[in-house]
Amino acid sequence: MLLRLSTLFVRTLREDPADAEVASHKLLVRAGYIRRAAPGIYTWLPLGLRVLAKVEQVVREEMAVAGAQEVHFPALLPKEPYEATGRWTEYGPNIFRLKDRKGGDYLLAPTHEELFTLLVKDLYSSYKDLPLALYQIQTKYRDEARPRAGLIRGREFVMKDAYSFDVDDAGLEASYQAQRDAYQRIFDRLGLEYVIVAATSGAMGGSRSEEFLTPTAIGEDTFVRSPGGYAANVEAVTTVVPEPIDFADAPAAHVEDTPDTPTIDSLVAVANAHFARPDRPWTAADTLKNVVLALRQPTGERELLVVGLPGDREVDLKRLEAAVSPADVEPAGDADFAAHPELVRGYIGPSALGPNPAVADGAERTAVRYLLDPRVVPGTRWITGANEPGRHVFDLVAGRDFVADGTIEAAEVRAGDPAPDGSGPLELARGIEIGHIFALGRKYAQALGLSVLDQNGKSVVVTMGSYGIGVTRVLAALAEANHDEKGLAWPAHVAPAHVHVMATGRDASVFEAAEALAQELGSRGVEVVYDDRPKVSPGVKFADAELFGVPLVVVVGRGLADGVVEVRPRVGGESEQVPVEQAADRVEALVRGLLRR
Amino acid sequence: MLLRLSTLFVRTLREDPADAEVASHKLLVRAGYIRRAAPGIYTWLPLGLRVLAKVEQVVREEMAVAGAQEVHFPALLPKEPYEATGRWTEYGPNIFRLKDRKGGDYLLAPTHEELFTLLVKDLYSSYKDLPLALYQIQTKYRDEARPRAGLIRGREFVMKDAYSFDVDDAGLEASYQAQRDAYQRIFDRLGLEYVIVAATSGAMGGSRSEEFLTPTAIGEDTFVRSPGGYAANVEAVTTVVPEPIDFADAPAAHVEDTPDTPTIDSLVAVANAHFARPDRPWTAADTLKNVVLALRQPTGERELLVVGLPGDREVDLKRLEAAVSPADVEPAGDADFAAHPELVRGYIGPSALGPNPAVADGAERTAVRYLLDPRVVPGTRWITGANEPGRHVFDLVAGRDFVADGTIEAAEVRAGDPAPDGSGPLELARGIEIGHIFALGRKYAQALGLSVLDQNGKSVVVTMGSYGIGVTRVLAALAEANHDEKGLAWPAHVAPAHVHVMATGRDASVFEAAEALAQELGSRGVEVVYDDRPKVSPGVKFADAELFGVPLVVVVGRGLADGVVEVRPRVGGESEQVPVEQAADRVEALVRGLLRR
């Protein structure tokens, strides 16, 4: 394989594209791998397409090892199956919807659980047909509110989605494990660092779910790790709930004037100035903050919600959204407060919220749902709003003075928080989600009627798993992990070529030697980019080679007078002067070495 | 490669699917290659996907030989580029349109001229960058009014679309020829019979266009051939126009009572009964029929049109639509006639139509446009409607008594009509369009501003070609051309496997021998389907093998007691008894032979 730069359809850019924020996006565009067609929608140029094909090939090979068979579904699908499972509604504005000329409702599929379920239902009917694992590598669509970071969060993207079908839970566990193992092999082969974290299932449903994240500062996902090996997406972290406290001897609640204390900071300052306690100062952790938010259901329905949590923690919108999925969360606005005068902005307290035991029936109490952070256990004592401007209540005791409609995991997770499994304090890191596996259970099979006859001739609902890899996102993650300030630096097995040969200088002999070497390497199965451009300066050629990121660079130039060419790795390692007649052997050996790694 | 039928995701059907009319559709569904997901939208099962990949591979290899580079564009595209070329409107209801969450207009691309043009404009700027040929193999969408025949006319389908970019006409001609040659090699390698016919460019625009049709009785396209080598799609056939006739001595036109003659047949009968001419009887060819039709523009605008043509020919709607592209043609309805009382149904005559010289200004004359078949040259004499019920005019002379607004190619082409190039009488045949190549010229480059600097530093608009192969349709055409009443019968190089090994009987020794042979063949690079299903009868196994259509079938069964297996081609040829220890060698040799063909 020999790509000549004189004819290869590519142009490198010296400037970063205006809309690019992350390195992979900047460099993939600048090096001529991809090109934006619309927000979150990209065109693949020849170099990019070659890398994509190599990533896909690794995925295909490991899917085959895992026993999954390849199929291919349409992207344009009718509404009905997605209506049967409720996802037509649940996806809300996050999917592309359209009508055909006859007025039929269609969508561009964001994932294919429904269709795989129906296909298996169509073809199979017996336990003897199972277990079964199917997959496709196919173009998916999501109408992201904020497409960003190039390929990392796009609206049209390539996914590998696999699905498993089993008669029982043990079968599902084995199928899940087979895909999990395949994912580890895939990311290992791609040389992509990853962490497997517990995750929430979200709109997908199901009993168990893990994400594969590749750690990177530019990742959109935050995950936690403990020294004892716990790892989870922040959305999946559950709060360690303290023991309830005996409140028999707790003082009675008392309302105090706390003028101009609409914020936690101002409240803590006033409390310490005027209501100091002897043993230690008040802190934000002593206050109970009540945050008003609005939930927007996919159906469009909107409902207010008050979340009560310790004043030293913020509401984490992603954790909250995971907890209330499939609803979206919006801030409450002036109209909401106007409609609920009982919610006194800045001074909202539990006495006006929840099924409060201290408030007699018929007393003024909001109808808005009230959910508490799990840390607010019975017996905990709080400074919190008294539902009047400029007034707070002290020593308000949970379980005695107020209760709520329930608890919710909405507070931020912080470094140092205890791991839920007792394995030590959590540390936080950021990552890109490159894979997500779900033990779906029977949700889809039930909704769509996929049953088989078991060994006793009894009809049993099939249990399923769903396993996704964002193939185009993996490519971006590889670029993110393999670049420097000069450009891309691909691992050999996914690079668009193995060797970048360049002819520098104007002598015909240089071009002849470079051409001969490029052809010789190509004939040996080495994939070569050959910079044969006649009137391009060495500086530009070097810069382009650094941008492209092919792992080995061979410079045929001044050294030729002394019978040598220069061979050097794109990153790290030493450059070598190799006699021209040994160059093909030496380069081939280096390439084989890189590919074996 | 070894596919075991005990685990392969496939189920054969003994019955034809209810909606299938053509053999390829019936058999691809029955053999478990594809499955319908929605009208004109199909899912690919493992066997189908393997064939598709092989067809794509042939296309890729020949595109590389033709010097075309592979890229990949999104399917979901913004409206603007298609608006710039007018196609957003021209496609009318034939494309899928949708809005994103921000209200932006998008389409699912039916073809990508605009995007390729813009990409080249983005990257290239000099004549030195050209010629350039790019292609993609990608999923396309058309909202067909009548999806039919399975993969032959689908709404989501795979296309190879290539585009060429040149500075001048000679360059375009060379690029066009390179793709044309590649198409011939592709269809030759696939073993698909084809005819190259002159075609109309339709909505695509451009100066020259040819279609590759594979002849088959179930084809939707009609084409013509002459003994002298002329070949064209019927839409592209131009009428041979007779010489004008001197009408100095023609008798004056005379109106006659012809009661109850609303049809050509009734008119001819009355003419012969009451107005017989001495030399020969009147025939339909002596009458001039005026047909009222409505044109519907993509903008929705509707306009009536009267087409005048000899009474022995029908209007061919496809030819008429090609002539009035991008408008669609609809029949005129009662409301149209009510709105135009001057058009007397069944008795419409030229005197009321066109810019008629015999009618004084201000006389009652319709505003409806009137176009004539090219055969109606000056001096021809006609029996035609007198614009009164039950009356016709005789000896109405074209050019003397009436003229029209122009001519139109709307009359049907008939076997025996002369070829426009004088190469003899035409014969008609039907085919499936498997490829279409267009010398587009500068239409798209002009509309989207793609220019480069030429050798003199002058900006010149680039000239383009566009070249499409319906990849999924080619697969259907291959199935159409390679089947019998029992099932599919693939050529070896596109078959899902080379050999179908089956174990028939219940003896463990049969399964052991079959397994060993399947594995041995697999290890030699022969692609094997192995029917290892333990409790399936030989009858079912034979029927499935015939349905699948793998070119060589090896039966390991009763003969094993005598140390032989049976080897036979799926179609034609003799079955052989081969000693089991020589079976792998013999089968491998036969496969190599089939692949060399």
Side-chain angles (χ1 to χ4, degrees), chain A residues 543-579:
Chain A
D544 281 349
E546 280 158 345
L547 209 43
F548 288 154
V550 169
L552 271 186
V553 180
V554 179
V555 184
V556 182
R558 276 184 309 188
L560 197 63
D562 305 320
V564 295
V565 301
E566 184 188 348
V567 179
R568 59 180 186 199
R570 165 65 183 82
V571 281
E574 292 293 301
S575 104
E576 302 174 36
Q577 303 293 324
V578 178

Side-chain angles (χ1 to χ4, degrees), chain B residues 80-96:
Chain B
E80 288 71 20
Y82 290 82
E83 213 166 34
T85 58
R87 294 210 295 179
W88 174 258
T89 306
E90 279 172 21
Y91 272 117
N94 298 310
I95 55 171
F96 290 101

Side-chain angles (χ1 to χ4, degrees), chain A residues 109-112 136 138-141 155-157 159 161:
Chain A
T111 171
H112 279 75
Q136 61 178 346
Q138 191 255 5
T139 304
K140 297 268 187 290
Y141 296 86
R155 300 199 294 169
E156 175 174 324
F157 53 95
M159 239 178 93
D161 45 330

Side-chain angles (χ1 to χ4, degrees), chain A residues 101, chain B residues 89-95 97 143-146 153 202-203 235 292-305 307 315-332 336 369 408:
Chain A
R101 65 195 297 156
Chain B
T89 306
E90 279 172 21
Y91 272 117
N94 298 310
I95 55 171
R97 299 158 195 268
D143 197 358
E144 294 285 351
R146 287 168 295 278
R153 184 162 292 276
E235 287 90 331
V292 187
L293 295 151
L295 305 187
R296 169 81 67 183
Q297 299 297 335
T299 52
E301 207 184 312
R302 192 165 179 280
E303 180 207 357
L304 287 189
L305 172 72
V307 173
V315 169
D316 178 330
L317 284 179
K318 283 179 137 185
R319 276 173 52 77
L320 175 54
E321 288 199 333
V324 299
S325 168
D328 283 339
V329 177
E330 302 171 355
D336 295 315
R369 199 148 58 105
I408 189 164

Side-chain angles (χ1 to χ4, degrees), chain B residues 120-362:
Chain B
V120 174
K121 178 184 177 184
D122 229 14
L123 266 63
Y124 279 180
S125 57
S126 162
Y127 74 96
K128 284 182 261 180
D129 299 325
L130 304 183
L132 170 69
L134 301 173
Y135 81 100
Q136 62 177 347
I137 294 180
Q138 193 255 3
T139 304
K140 297 269 188 288
Y141 296 87
R142 292 200 196 171
D143 197 358
E144 294 285 351
R146 287 168 295 278
R148 64 173 284 276
L151 301 175
I152 291 175
R153 184 162 292 276
R155 300 199 294 169
E156 173 173 325
F157 52 95
V158 178
M159 237 178 94
K160 184 289 298 180
D161 44 328
Y163 304 86
S164 67
F165 301 86
D166 284 278
V167 274
D168 55 28
D169 295 350
L172 170 56
E173 178 54 31
S175 295
Y176 183 95
Q177 196 60 43
Q179 284 286 326
R180 193 178 192 273
D181 293 346
Y183 277 39
Q184 297 191 264
R185 292 192 305 272
I186 288 166
F187 299 129
D188 285 343
R189 283 181 60 182
L190 293 174
L192 204 50
E193 192 194 340
Y194 61 89
V195 183
I196 306 176
V197 306
T200 53
S201 297
M204 198 66 80
S207 58
R208 178 184 173 195
S209 154
E210 289 172 296
E211 277 179 16
F212 288 72
L213 298 174
T214 187
T216 160
I218 63 108
E220 283 189 303
D221 289 290
T222 306
F223 67 98
V224 300
R225 283 190 275 210
S226 76
Y230 174 81
N233 196 313
V234 279
E235 287 90 331
V237 174
T238 51
T239 303
V240 176
V241 179
E243 287 297 308
I245 300 165
D246 179 20
F247 52 76
D249 300 331
H254 45 105
V255 174
E256 305 290 352
D257 284 328
T258 53
D260 293 329
T261 51
T263 65
I264 297 296
D265 284 349
S266 56
L267 174 60
V268 170
V270 166
N272 282 320
H274 301 289
F275 310 100
R277 57 181 174 186
D279 50 346
R280 59 201 160 90
W282 299 109
T283 71
D286 298 307
T287 70
L288 180 68
K289 167 164 74 175
N290 295 293
V291 182
V292 187
L293 295 151
L295 305 187
R296 169 81 67 183
Q297 299 297 335
T299 52
E301 207 184 312
R302 192 165 179 280
E303 180 207 357
L304 287 189
L305 172 72
V306 180
V307 173
L309 72 168
D312 62 335
R313 291 192 189 249
E314 299 300 326
V315 169
D316 178 330
L317 284 179
K318 283 179 137 185
R319 276 173 52 77
L320 175 54
E321 288 199 333
V324 299
S325 168
D328 283 339
V329 177
E330 302 171 355
D334 290 342
D336 295 315
F337 286 102
H340 290 277
E342 77 278 14
L343 300 177
V344 183
R345 234 165 164 165
Y347 299 92
I348 301 170
S351 310
L353 301 166
N356 189 343
V359 177
D361 267 3

Side-chain angles (χ1 to χ4, degrees), chain B residues 424-554:
Chain B
L426 298 176
E427 63 167 36
L428 271 70
R430 300 185 72 80
I432 299 171
E433 179 190 336
I434 49 176
H436 202 158
I437 56 179
F438 297 89
L440 293 175
R442 297 177 176 81
K443 170 180 168 175
Y444 293 88
Q446 192 87 59
L448 297 164
L450 169 59
S451 299
V452 294
L453 296 181
D454 72 6
Q455 283 181 286
N456 308 313
K458 202 175 119 255
S459 176
V460 293
V461 176
V462 169
T463 182
M464 293 169 52
S466 152
Y467 317 94
I469 289 181
V471 178
T472 39
R473 188 186 279 182
V474 160
L475 186 148
L478 281 167
E480 211 52 65
N482 298 281
H483 75 272
D484 57 22
E485 70 288 352
K486 293 173 181 169
L488 298 162
W490 299 105
H493 45 293
V494 295
H498 305 135
V499 183
H500 186 123
V501 175
M502 70 175 80
T504 63
R506 292 176 167 263
D507 283 5
S509 62
V510 164
F511 283 85
E512 280 159 24
E515 170 83 34
L517 177 59
Q519 292 215 14
E520 174 62 26
L521 288 168
S523 72
R524 298 184 186 193
V526 174
E527 299 174 2
V528 182
V529 167
Y530 170 35
D531 194 343
D532 60 342
R533 292 175 294 177
K535 289 176 184 165
V536 173
S537 74
V540 169
K541 289 190 174 184
F542 283 116
D544 281 349
E546 279 158 344
L547 210 41
F548 289 155
V550 169
L552 271 186
V553 179
V554 179

Side-chain angles (χ1 to χ4, degrees), chain A residues 306-380:
Chain A
V306 180
V307 174
L309 72 168
D312 61 336
R313 291 191 189 251
E314 299 299 327
V315 169
D316 178 330
L317 284 180
K318 282 179 141 185
R319 275 172 55 76
L320 175 55
E321 289 200 331
V324 299
S325 167
D328 282 339
V329 177
E330 302 172 355
D334 290 342
D336 294 314
F337 286 101
H340 290 276
E342 76 278 13
L343 300 177
V344 183
R345 235 164 164 165
Y347 300 91
I348 300 171
S351 311
L353 301 166
N356 188 341
V359 176
D361 267 1
E364 189 176 10
R365 202 170 69 72
T366 188
V368 174
R369 200 147 58 106
Y370 184 41
L371 298 175
L372 283 171
D373 183 78
R375 290 171 193 83
V376 188
V377 292
T380 49

